Amino acid sequence: MDGKQLIGYVETAVYFVLALVAFCLEAWAFFDCLRHKANAFEAVSKRTKTFWLALTGGALAIGALSLYAGGGGGLLGPLGLFGLAAVTAASVYLADVRPAVKDAGRGGSRNMGPYGPW
Protein backbone atom coordinates (compact mmCIF):
# COMPACT_ATOMS: atom_id res chain seq x y z
CA MET A 1 0.00 0.00 0.00
CA ASP A 2 1.28 3.40 -0.99
CA GLY A 3 1.78 6.11 1.65
CA LYS A 4 -0.41 8.60 -0.22
CA GLN A 5 -3.21 6.06 -0.44
CA LEU A 6 -3.03 5.37 3.30
CA ILE A 7 -3.15 9.09 4.08
CA GLY A 8 -6.16 9.39 1.78
CA TYR A 9 -8.01 6.65 3.70
CA VAL A 10 -7.23 8.27 7.04
CA GLU A 11 -8.28 11.70 5.78
CA THR A 12 -11.58 10.32 4.46
CA ALA A 13 -12.25 8.58 7.78
CA VAL A 14 -11.57 11.77 9.76
CA TYR A 15 -13.90 13.79 7.52
CA PHE A 16 -16.59 11.13 7.86
CA VAL A 17 -16.34 11.13 11.67
CA LEU A 18 -16.52 14.93 11.72
CA ALA A 19 -19.57 14.84 9.45
CA LEU A 20 -21.23 12.25 11.70
CA VAL A 21 -20.60 14.31 14.85
CA ALA A 22 -21.88 17.47 13.13
CA PHE A 23 -25.00 15.64 11.91
CA CYS A 24 -25.75 14.37 15.43
CA LEU A 25 -25.38 17.88 16.84
CA GLU A 26 -27.68 19.33 14.18
CA ALA A 27 -30.26 16.59 14.67
CA TRP A 28 -30.25 17.16 18.44
CA ALA A 29 -30.84 20.90 17.92
CA PHE A 30 -33.66 20.35 15.41
CA PHE A 31 -35.57 17.74 17.40
CA ASP A 32 -35.14 19.68 20.63
CA CYS A 33 -36.58 22.73 18.91
CA LEU A 34 -39.56 20.65 17.74
CA ARG A 35 -40.53 19.57 21.24
CA HIS A 36 -40.80 23.03 22.81
CA LYS A 37 -43.96 25.14 22.63
CA ALA A 38 -44.01 28.20 20.38
CA ASN A 39 -44.99 30.62 23.15
CA ALA A 40 -41.91 29.65 25.20
CA PHE A 41 -39.64 31.13 22.52
CA GLU A 42 -41.47 34.45 22.55
CA ALA A 43 -41.66 34.50 26.36
CA VAL A 44 -37.87 34.58 26.62
CA SER A 45 -37.40 36.93 23.61
CA LYS A 46 -35.47 34.42 21.47
CA ARG A 47 -37.09 35.01 18.05
CA THR A 48 -39.87 32.60 17.04
CA LYS A 49 -40.12 28.85 16.93
CA THR A 50 -40.57 29.02 13.14
CA PHE A 51 -37.29 30.90 12.79
CA TRP A 52 -35.36 28.37 14.87
CA LEU A 53 -37.05 25.42 13.15
CA ALA A 54 -36.05 26.82 9.76
CA LEU A 55 -32.50 27.49 10.90
CA THR A 56 -31.93 24.14 12.59
CA GLY A 57 -33.81 22.31 9.82
CA GLY A 58 -31.55 23.87 7.21
CA ALA A 59 -28.55 22.92 9.31
CA LEU A 60 -29.86 19.35 9.54
CA ALA A 61 -30.31 19.20 5.76
CA ILE A 62 -26.77 20.46 5.16
CA GLY A 63 -25.48 17.95 7.71
CA ALA A 64 -27.31 15.12 5.95
CA LEU A 65 -25.87 16.19 2.59
CA SER A 66 -22.41 16.36 4.11
CA LEU A 67 -22.78 12.89 5.57
CA TYR A 68 -24.21 11.48 2.33
CA ALA A 69 -21.42 13.04 0.27
CA GLY A 70 -18.87 11.15 2.32
CA GLY A 71 -17.77 14.05 4.46
CA GLY A 72 -15.27 15.60 2.09
CA GLY A 73 -13.78 19.01 2.65
CA GLY A 74 -15.69 20.78 -0.13
CA LEU A 75 -18.43 23.38 0.21
CA LEU A 76 -20.84 20.95 1.88
CA GLY A 77 -18.25 19.05 3.88
CA PRO A 78 -18.05 19.37 7.66
CA LEU A 79 -15.17 21.82 7.32
CA GLY A 80 -16.61 23.62 4.30
CA LEU A 81 -18.39 26.98 4.32
CA PHE A 82 -21.94 25.63 4.63
CA GLY A 83 -20.93 22.87 7.01
CA LEU A 84 -19.37 25.31 9.45
CA ALA A 85 -22.40 27.63 9.18
CA ALA A 86 -24.74 24.71 9.92
CA VAL A 87 -22.77 23.61 12.98
CA THR A 88 -22.63 27.22 14.18
CA ALA A 89 -26.41 27.64 13.87
CA ALA A 90 -27.07 24.41 15.77
CA SER A 91 -24.53 25.33 18.43
CA VAL A 92 -26.07 28.79 18.96
CA TYR A 93 -29.46 27.17 19.45
CA LEU A 94 -28.12 24.60 21.90
CA ALA A 95 -25.96 27.04 23.89
CA ASP A 96 -28.23 30.09 24.04
CA VAL A 97 -31.83 29.38 23.10
CA ARG A 98 -32.32 25.89 24.52
CA PRO A 99 -31.50 26.74 28.18
CA ALA A 100 -33.75 29.81 28.11
CA VAL A 101 -36.66 27.97 26.50
CA LYS A 102 -36.23 25.02 28.86
CA ASP A 103 -36.44 27.34 31.87
CA ALA A 104 -39.52 29.04 30.46
CA GLY A 105 -41.19 25.67 29.99
CA ARG A 106 -40.74 24.85 33.68
CA GLY A 107 -42.51 28.02 34.75
CA GLY A 108 -39.48 30.20 35.24
CA SER A 109 -36.96 30.21 38.03
CA ARG A 110 -38.97 31.36 41.03
CA ASN A 111 -36.96 29.78 43.82
CA MET A 112 -33.58 29.77 42.15
CA GLY A 113 -30.53 31.25 43.75
CA PRO A 114 -27.20 31.87 42.07
CA TYR A 115 -26.10 28.28 42.72
CA GLY A 116 -29.38 26.37 42.33
CA PRO A 117 -32.74 26.00 44.01
CA TRP A 118 -33.30 26.99 47.63
Side-chain angles (χ1 to χ4, degrees):
M1 180 177 287
D2 189 5
K4 287 185 179 183
Q5 191 176 15
L6 182 62
I7 289 174
Y9 288 142
V10 171
E11 181 181 7
T12 302
V14 167
Y15 277 134
F16 184 75
V17 168
L18 286 174
L20 188 63
V21 168
F23 178 74
C24 290
L25 184 78
E26 293 152 358
W28 178 25
F30 178 73
F31 289 114
D32 185 76
C33 187
L34 270 178
R35 71 180 189 94
H36 291 293
K37 294 181 182 176
N39 58 0
F41 288 86
E42 294 163 4
V44 294
S45 301
K46 296 289 182 187
R47 306 283 302 229
T48 62
K49 181 176 180 172
T50 307
F51 173 81
W52 286 109
L53 275 176
L55 203 62
T56 57
L60 183 65
I62 290 172
L65 284 173
S66 174
L67 195 61
Y68 178 72
L75 264 179
L76 287 177
L79 296 178
L81 178 67
F82 293 118
L84 289 176
V87 169
T88 302
S91 298
V92 165
Y93 173 81
L94 290 173
D96 183 41
V97 179
R98 182 178 184 261
V101 171
K102 193 166 70 168
D103 284 344
R106 282 191 277 155
S109 54
R110 283 176 258 184
N111 292 329
M112 291 293 283
Y115 302 108
W118 51 275

